[in-house]
Amino acid sequence: MSETWTWRYVDADGATFVPDGSPSTGFPTQSDAESWLGEEWRTLLDAGVDAVHLQQGEQEIYGPMSLRPAQ
């Protein structure tokens, strides 16, 4: 059985936290995790999330990835 895919959320200071409305369980695939983020990134930004890290189990796949629009 493979590890689930999860997001780690960080604020502007780089501190990890769990925002309200974030999923309490992981996603079965990387695609599912990324699709969810594509739909929810604005809500997460409003909740104080500055950047995210994608993880599979304990392994970080990529990040930090800013949620702020390019300027």
Side-chain angles (χ1 to χ4, degrees):
M1 183 170 142
S2 65
E3 300 282 342
T4 60
W5 296 82
T6 57
W7 293 105
R8 182 168 62 88
Y9 311 97
V10 295
D11 64 17
D13 295 325
T16 298
F17 75 106
V18 179
D20 291 339
S22 62
S24 59
T25 60
F27 298 91
T29 67
Q30 181 176 355
S31 178
D32 289 337
E34 291 171 338
S35 292
W36 177 85
L37 184 68
E39 296 171 3
E40 299 296 326
W41 71 270
R42 288 176 188 86
T43 302
L44 293 169
L45 188 60
D46 289 344
V49 176
D50 191 69
V52 294
H53 299 252
L54 182 63
Q55 297 184 271
Q56 183 182 25
E58 296 297 317
Q59 179 183 3
E60 183 169 293
I61 303 302
Y62 62 78
M65 181 175 71
S66 176
L67 296 185
R68 301 213 174 272
Q71 299 200 356

